[in-house]
Amino acid sequence: MTRRNVSTLFMSEKKIYTDSGIEIKSLYTSDEQIANNERPGEFPFTRGVQPDMYRGKLWTMRQYAGFSTAEESNKRYHYLLSQGVMGLSVAFDLPTQIGYDSDHELAEGEVGKVGVAIDSIEDMEILFNGIKLQDVTTSMTINATAFILLALYVALAKKQGADLSKISGTVQNDILKEYAARGTYIYPPKASMKIITDIFEWCSKEIPKWNTISISGYHIREAGSTAVQEVAFTLANGKAYVQSAIEKGLDINIFGKRLSFFFNAHNNLFEEVAKFRAARRMWANMMKQLGATDSKAMMLRFHTQTGGSTLTAQQPLNNISRVTIQTLAAVMGGTQSLHTNGFDEALSLPTEEAAKIALRTQQIVAFESGVPDTPDPLAGSYLVESLTNEIEEKAWELINKIDLMGGSVSAIEQGFMQEQIARSAYEYQRKIETAEKIIVGVNKFQSEATSSMPIFKVDDTIRNIQTEKLVQLRRRRDPARCDTILQDLNDKASSGENIMPVVIEAVENKCSLGEIADTLREVFGEHK
């Protein structure tokens, strides 16, 4: 039996009907409408990475959450799990993201504000109290310090008695987009790339189900890029990571299966669906050109978050409609997991009620809309097929320019990506200010009424709580042992050895996140 026949047989087992009793086929296709009669689950994966897509398994419903202390975030995780969340997604505060402990002078005013404060293994234990890491998938939005947070997660999993070969999740670990669009970097690009390939190498041997990177277009789009630029710059960065891993001697057919992506979903429904379809096809061909022979190493698997920059502080309840459109775009585009923003996130971190409505939006699309009933439901649309091809063509043009510059690292060092994003952001804002682009409630259909909805606030005193935790941590640990381990980390980083084993040893012995980050600052310096 051929592979296609196996796929068809598998898809035909489940029958789905509309409320009128019309059967929805497991696949709709037409040689006249769809180029090369592409099928989901087959190279180049334009129509999706699985033959049956959501008929077999829905996307993972995540809600990005983390604030204040580990204790407070743990309460929100348990609440979200009780409401039907299928995977956790952790937001970290700014000091954690850039490698400072909560008691560092530069952390003042930022502890626990945009995410949870994690200083040590003890915070990690509290964060996941009552949650077995082997039983959930966890996505951690962390980049410059991804190696430390991954080490903390692994150390906790070991302490819980988990089988490391079975734990699954993702670290974002995408430093190139930080230089281009977001700014939470620590070390220079080449040193950061070395740390990332250390993670690739270690995870492929020790935690094979872990996604070692989530190559992120989300923040590129949030910084003001177009959909085409989001695809081009994200895939160009992905290419750089793959080339770096190949140069280290890693097998593309092994580490390629653990690469994942993170995209944004905006309001132009058809362009967003076409963007996801084009990105899958482009990545499959790119990986093939780079030497992948295993089809699973050519699949672009991605998480989506609805567009934070599209949310408005004016008439915030309108954001529920925006998030619904973006949810439909992500699902019809074939996402593997999804976070939906709270309607109040232009004003503050989401309240519990806003987070619940955001989750319910996913659940309504999943169980009431009929959209997941057949793979790639917009395939064959003249508009969507044309947009898919045009986005691909324009994105390749940008990638070719980046290649001529020497790749993503060189393009970032020369300021090319940053300039392109800035130009697009300026043009977008100009169109809003001239009303060439309408934003409901902002430059048209305004209302004089002011919102009285509750705002979520984080108490500033949590820095004192975290500082006291660090004082107690340092009293309980073996200082001489910590000094020895940190010196070993310095030596291994200086000699080019893989640092992951010693970082795990460091967190297990209660070295703090800031101490580990500072040790590598001594070796690599800081990027300015």
Side-chain angles (χ1 to χ4, degrees):
M1 184 177 289
T2 66
R3 179 182 172 189
R4 179 166 292 182
N5 287 337
V6 170
S7 299
T8 304
L9 177 64
F10 176 67
M11 289 189 294
S12 66
E13 292 176 354
K14 184 176 182 180
K15 291 187 180 293
I16 296 175
Y17 299 89
T18 69
D19 291 340
S20 300
I22 300 169
E23 183 176 355
I24 300 298
K25 297 178 184 177
S26 58
L27 182 64
Y28 290 84
T29 186
S30 166
D31 291 339
E32 291 77 25
Q33 290 181 311
I34 303 172
N36 302 319
N37 198 23
E38 293 174 346
R39 301 171 71 86
E42 297 181 9
F43 181 90
F45 308 107
T46 310
R47 302 198 61 190
V49 295
Q50 299 296 336
D52 60 346
M53 287 304 291
Y54 307 128
R55 287 173 73 104
K57 181 183 178 183
L58 288 172
W59 63 93
T60 300
M61 298 181 193
R62 298 187 186 279
Q63 286 304 114
Y64 186 47
F67 56 89
S68 186
T69 61
E71 289 90 344
E72 291 303 311
S73 292
N74 177 260
K75 292 176 186 175
R76 177 64 66 90
Y77 295 155
H78 280 285
Y79 171 76
L80 290 170
L81 288 167
S82 74
Q83 295 299 311
V85 157
M86 298 150 67
L88 299 176
S89 188
V90 184
F92 297 97
D93 72 356
L94 190 58
T96 302
Q97 292 182 49
I98 55 177
Y100 293 120
D101 288 332
S102 296
D103 60 355
H104 193 283
E105 60 182 3
L106 293 179
E108 186 172 359
E110 295 292 345
V111 177
K113 289 298 177 67
V114 298
V116 61
I118 298 294
D119 293 317
S120 72
I121 185 67
E122 294 183 356
D123 284 330
M124 206 68 167
E125 288 182 51
I126 295 168
L127 185 67
F128 291 103
N129 183 38
I131 300 169
K132 290 187 177 180
L133 301 189
Q134 189 171 310
D135 297 340
V136 298
T137 65
T138 304
S139 174
M140 295 189 283
T141 303
I142 196 73
N143 296 284
T145 55
F147 66 103
I148 305 174
L149 271 301
L150 176 60
L152 287 164
Y153 195 88
V154 169
L156 178 57
K158 289 168 65 177
K159 194 168 185 179
Q160 289 184 350
D163 180 347
L164 294 187
S165 68
K166 293 180 180 178
I167 69 166
S168 60
T170 305
V171 274
Q172 191 163 99
N173 195 30
D174 175 6
I175 203 65
L176 292 180
K177 65 94 175 51
E178 296 295 328
Y179 302 115
R182 191 161 174 264
T184 64
Y185 46 74
I186 303 175
Y187 315 111
K190 289 182 173 60
S192 295
M193 293 293 281
K194 164 64 171 61
I195 295 171
I196 287 168
T197 54
D198 280 0
I199 293 172
F200 287 2
E201 182 180 49
W202 185 84
C203 288
S204 68
K205 298 172 183 175
E206 304 296 335
I207 47 173
K209 289 189 175 183
W210 193 267
N211 296 323
T212 51
I213 192 169
S214 178
I215 305 158
S216 177
Y218 183 85
H219 304 97
I220 291 170
R221 192 67 177 280
E222 289 292 284
S225 82
T226 64
V228 168
Q229 290 168 337
E230 180 187 359
V231 171
F233 297 160
T234 304
L235 298 192
N237 288 346
K239 183 177 183 180
Y241 293 125
V242 171
Q243 289 173 325
S244 182
I246 291 171
E247 289 169 8
K248 192 179 178 73
L250 303 183
D251 186 342
I252 190 172
N253 286 317
I254 295 176
F255 76 79
K257 296 175 186 177
R258 301 316 328 157
L259 305 178
S260 65
F261 289 78
F262 176 24
F263 287 115
N264 210 314
H266 274 217
N267 289 328
N268 191 317
L269 179 68
F270 299 114
E271 182 179 50
E272 294 301 294
V273 172
K275 176 188 76 178
F276 298 132
R277 300 174 88 246
R280 268 194 300 271
R281 186 158 70 203
M282 292 174 71
W283 183 248
N285 283 298
M286 187 181 285
M287 288 294 277
K288 189 173 184 179
Q289 291 169 6
L290 290 167
T293 55
D294 189 321
S295 64
K296 289 186 178 179
M298 303 178 202
M299 290 180 180
L300 184 147
R301 299 168 298 116
F302 66 97
H303 170 72
T304 308
Q305 182 173 336
T306 56
S309 62
T310 69
L311 304 179
T312 65
Q314 301 91 331
Q315 302 177 28
L317 289 174
N318 292 345
N319 294 327
I320 296 173
S321 299
R322 294 185 176 101
V323 169
T324 302
I325 292 169
Q326 295 162 13
T327 300
L328 288 168
V331 173
M332 288 193 284
T335 193
Q336 276 60 68
S337 66
L338 178 62
H339 163 84
T340 35
N341 290 330
F343 65 83
D344 55 359
E345 287 190 52
L347 301 168
S348 69
L349 290 172
T351 61
E352 203 168 83
E353 179 67 14
K356 182 168 71 173
I357 291 172
L359 176 60
R360 293 289 183 260
T361 301
Q362 291 198 54
Q363 292 165 338
I364 289 167
V365 170
F367 298 105
E368 298 184 31
S369 72
V371 169
D373 291 348
T374 192
D376 196 20
L378 292 183
S381 157
Y382 295 123
L383 171 62
V384 171
E385 294 296 343
S386 178
L387 282 173
T388 301
N389 294 335
E390 289 187 59
I391 288 172
E392 179 176 8
E393 181 181 349
K394 291 179 181 297
W396 278 125
E397 289 175 6
L398 281 172
I399 291 173
N400 290 336
K401 286 183 181 180
I402 291 168
D403 285 343
L404 289 173
M405 293 178 186
S408 278
V409 175
S410 296
I412 289 167
E413 290 175 342
Q414 294 174 48
F416 173 74
M417 289 188 192
Q418 297 93 312
E419 182 184 13
Q420 291 283 311
I421 294 167
R423 285 177 182 272
S424 296
Y426 171 81
E427 181 62 15
Y428 183 83
Q429 186 61 33
R430 183 194 66 78
K431 288 180 178 179
I432 293 174
E433 291 178 2
T434 60
E436 188 177 341
K437 182 172 183 62
I438 301 300
I439 306 295
V440 174
V442 176
N443 62 0
K444 197 172 179 67
F445 313 114
Q446 297 100 324
S447 172
E448 295 298 324
T450 57
S451 172
S452 60
M453 63 178 54
I455 301 296
F456 187 91
K457 293 183 179 180
V458 175
D459 191 337
D460 284 329
T461 62
I462 63 168
R463 184 168 187 251
N464 298 332
I465 296 171
Q466 288 300 114
T467 298
E468 180 58 28
K469 284 183 183 178
L470 284 164
V471 169
Q472 296 301 324
L473 176 87
R474 290 167 185 144
R475 285 177 180 167
R476 287 192 293 268
R477 70 187 187 182
D478 181 341
R481 179 65 180 150
C482 288
D483 289 344
T484 299
I485 295 170
L486 292 174
Q487 183 58 53
D488 190 24
L489 173 60
N490 184 299
D491 294 344
K492 283 184 166 51
S494 299
S495 66
E497 292 180 62
N498 193 308
I499 64 170
M500 282 304 298
V502 70
V503 174
I504 292 170
E505 184 182 8
V507 300
E508 287 177 330
N509 283 274
K510 301 186 179 180
C511 294
S512 73
L513 174 136
E515 290 165 341
I516 295 168
D518 283 346
T519 299
L520 295 193
R521 283 185 174 95
E522 294 171 8
V523 178
F524 300 132
E526 289 188 287
H527 179 70
K528 303 294 184 183

